[in-house]
């Protein structure tokens, strides 16, 4: 029997408000969290937490954030945009 892989959620706009609260909720429930924001900031140092830059109006930043998330966690299971 193999151990279940932790699921990964990719969240845009995670610096404040609903995005930040959603990131915290998923993290508390055991998910890997990719918290994206235009100006990255995070005080959390945890292997299940990744903060990266993403501006939804910049295609290159979207692709870079996606690639970084997959490199770290292997896949993205859910998107909160």
């Amino acid at each position: 029997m193999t151990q279940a892989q932790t699921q990964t959620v990719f969240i845009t706009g995670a610096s404040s408000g609903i995005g930040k609260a959603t990131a915290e909720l998923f993290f508390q429930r055991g998910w890997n969290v990719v918290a994206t924001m235009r100006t990255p900031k995070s005080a959390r140092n945890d292997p299940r937490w990744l903060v990266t830059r993403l501006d939804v109006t910049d295609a290159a930043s979207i692709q870079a954030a996606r690639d970084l998330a997959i490199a770290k966690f292997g896949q993205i299971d859910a998107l909160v945009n």
Side-chain angles (χ1 to χ4, degrees):
M1 177 183 280
T2 61
Q3 183 177 357
Q5 179 179 345
T6 301
Q7 292 185 305
T8 300
V9 62
F10 187 100
I11 303 171
T12 64
S15 62
S16 64
I18 292 170
K20 183 176 182 180
T22 301
E24 290 293 338
L25 177 67
F26 273 92
F27 184 78
Q28 290 169 5
R29 297 215 172 155
W31 286 59
N32 296 324
V33 173
V34 182
T36 70
M37 52 198 77
R38 286 182 286 191
T39 305
K41 60 184 178 200
S42 178
R44 187 181 307 269
N45 184 16
D46 189 285
R48 291 189 301 113
W49 189 268
L50 171 64
V51 173
T52 189
R53 181 184 179 281
L54 185 147
D55 181 337
V56 296
T57 66
D58 177 5
S61 78
I62 295 168
Q63 183 173 347
R66 182 204 63 207
D67 292 348
L68 185 60
I70 291 171
K72 180 168 177 81
F73 297 121
Q75 67 185 36
I76 298 167
D77 300 290
L79 168 66
V80 179
N81 185 8

